[in-house]
Amino acid sequence: MRLVRFGEPGAEKPGLIDEENRIRDLSGEIDDIGGAVLSRHGLEKLRALDPKSLPKADPSHRLGPPVAGIRNFIAVGRNYAEHAAETGSETPSEPLLFNKAVSCIAGPRDGFAIPNGATKVDWEVEVAIVIGERCYQVSKDEAMNYVAGFCLCNDVSERTWQKERGGQWLKGKSAPGFGPLGPWLVTRDEIENPAALELWLDVNGQRMQTGTTADMIFDFATIVSYTSEFLALEPGDVITTGTPAGVGAGMKPPVFLKAGDIVTLGNAHLGEQRQVVSSPAE
């Protein structure tokens, strides 16, 4: 299934994408896409519905982030071998975890403003894991049973704040709009081989990133199991899992986003995002 949330910010309704790529309204069946709805049992109930029996939604609706009530937004740094190499970093021996503030989460086409004082705003196309059931200290073999599905994430990053201001990476990762998710949540059963997802990202139509999850240093099951060693993951929590090579900071000379730029990114299974970058005053 491809699950979506559509409508104005804070008033999104749950929906699904049918075989004809139309939005069907799920608000008569569930309150939202989060919590117990994301469990194995909850998703099975949604699969049992006939999409044709659900009302069609206006396709012009804004799409919001495909998950509601996210409590933890966790990210994995330097998790692609080629990306670690382009940044001149050592390959990590364990997953490098950091937080993005949940207040940075946005819809896939919402766009974002360059914050005041920011000079090195960068892009990162990523695959994000959506947790379906509470998991704490689960084994790698069991980890994927706790995953509801996957979605796209653009891990937008301000490199000065991330790397040159001391402390945690949270500073450079959490401005409003720096965490677009979606367009939809694709349930785990729909992804035949998570280790072979092709990713791409363009800026103003120019290809910047092309990569595959086959280049991940730590796979999805390892990331879920490892993260759960330290904290209890709850339904709806999101873990974005790292980016391929091709970020602006890795170019020679480095290239960063400016007002007016258009960032597009995608994957054949997970859909596409599009963000227009605006100035702080807009």
Side-chain angles (χ1 to χ4, degrees):
M1 288 183 296
R2 291 177 294 170
L3 301 175
V4 297
R5 299 174 67 246
F6 61 95
E8 295 305 305
E12 294 95 344
K13 292 182 178 181
L16 60 78
I17 306 294
D18 67 16
E19 293 182 353
E20 298 178 349
N21 293 315
R22 293 178 299 192
I23 302 174
R24 297 284 183 162
D25 190 341
L26 279 171
S27 60
E29 305 291 335
I30 57 174
D31 291 334
D32 213 335
I33 298 171
V37 170
L38 296 170
S39 69
R40 282 166 275 191
H41 177 67
L43 293 176
E44 282 302 319
K45 288 177 67 176
L46 292 184
R47 286 191 191 96
L49 297 173
D50 178 4
K52 294 180 180 179
S53 70
L54 301 170
K56 296 177 185 177
D58 185 339
S60 67
H61 277 301
R62 164 192 173 267
L63 293 182
V67 185
I70 299 169
R71 302 203 310 180
N72 288 303
F73 192 6
I74 299 165
V76 183
R78 297 202 301 264
N79 193 35
Y80 283 66
E82 291 186 3
H83 174 57
E86 76 173 342
T87 61
S89 305
E90 294 183 1
T91 301
S93 59
E94 299 183 29
L96 176 59
L97 303 182
F98 61 92
N99 284 95
K100 287 175 74 74
V102 294
S103 58
C104 82
I105 294 170
R109 290 176 168 261
D110 285 349
F112 56 88
I114 295 175
N116 284 309
T119 59
K120 298 180 181 179
V121 178
D122 207 346
W123 56 83
E124 295 189 10
V125 59
E126 306 196 1
V127 177
I129 298 165
V130 178
I131 299 297
E133 299 178 23
R134 187 180 191 274
C135 62
Y136 180 55
Q137 297 188 332
V138 302
S139 70
K140 180 179 175 180
D141 289 342
E142 296 177 346
M144 296 307 290
N145 292 328
Y146 295 86
V147 172
F150 305 91
C151 66
L152 284 175
C153 174
N154 186 0
D155 179 18
V156 185
S157 307
E158 211 300 330
R159 301 302 188 190
T160 302
W161 298 353
Q162 175 190 357
K163 297 183 177 182
E164 300 173 28
R165 296 290 299 273
Q168 298 294 318
W169 286 9
L170 173 77
K171 295 177 182 178
K173 299 282 190 171
S174 297
F178 273 27
L181 298 176
W184 42 67
L185 162 64
V186 180
T187 53
R188 181 167 53 91
D189 58 299
E190 296 283 343
I191 305 297
E192 183 176 348
N193 185 4
L197 294 174
E198 301 285 341
L199 298 170
W200 59 269
L201 181 144
D202 294 349
V203 178
N204 301 325
Q206 180 180 354
R207 185 59 44 94
M208 298 297 188
Q209 289 185 277
T210 302
T212 170
T213 52
D215 192 45
M216 289 172 66
I217 298 166
F218 305 104
D219 63 17
F220 295 114
T222 298
I223 289 168
V224 173
S225 175
Y226 181 85
T227 306
S228 80
E229 180 180 345
F230 307 104
L231 69 152
L233 294 165
E234 300 288 349
D237 284 355
V238 172
I239 308 174
T240 190
T241 58
T243 195
V247 299
M251 296 182 177
K252 301 187 187 308
V255 177
F256 298 110
L257 294 170
K258 61 185 183 304
D261 284 345
I262 298 175
V263 182
T264 52
L265 56 137
N267 165 267
H269 301 285
L270 302 179
E272 297 185 11
Q273 294 189 3
R274 180 181 186 273
Q275 291 105 37
V276 177
V277 183
S278 57
S279 67
E282 293 182 39

